[in-house]
Amino acid sequence: MVTTLEHTNLTVTDALATAAWMASVFGWHTRWQGPSIHNGFSVHVGSDDSYLALYQPKTPPTPNAAGSYATIGGLNHIAVTVSDLDATETRVRAQGFTTHSHADYEPGRRFYFNDSDGVEYEVVSYS
């Protein structure tokens, strides 16, 4: 049996803006967008095989004051693999995000950044 993660659904303040920086940084495309649950708006952005569902509620969302690492079911970070870590970091910084926690250890090199909603991303290269 093979099981594949198809998507993760993430609440953001501006689904279109988040999808735009993801397209610029990761080369992803919008697979679908439109009205969604609770009178919200969603954008599915990713590759042909998997995606992130970016959900924007009708009422602006509030941050989790406790922090994800202290919350059961909290989203700690989203990890993506890239073939060129340095070029991706350049694109991340061009979006105005600050990179941190650079590491070079088995099995690959990585860095992290937080987007404007405070969501943490890990970018890793196994090349």
Side-chain angles (χ1 to χ4, degrees), residues 15-31 43-47 52 54 88 91-92 95 97 113 121:
L16 290 172
T18 301
W21 76 250
M22 288 180 166
S24 178
V25 170
F26 301 133
W28 291 347
H29 64 275
T30 296
R31 296 168 41 130
V43 177
H44 294 180
V45 62
S47 68
L52 288 175
L54 306 173
T88 303
R91 290 192 300 274
V92 166
Q95 292 296 316
F97 304 131
F113 70 95
Y121 295 84

Side-chain angles (χ1 to χ4, degrees), residues 106-122:
E106 288 298 325
R109 292 176 53 223
R110 68 200 71 237
F111 68 86
Y112 295 77
F113 70 95
N114 293 75
D115 73 3
S116 56
D117 285 322
V119 177
E120 184 175 66
Y121 295 84
E122 176 184 5

Side-chain angles (χ1 to χ4, degrees), residues 8-21:
T8 297
N9 190 308
L10 179 66
T11 298
V12 298
T13 56
D14 186 334
L16 290 172
T18 301
W21 76 250

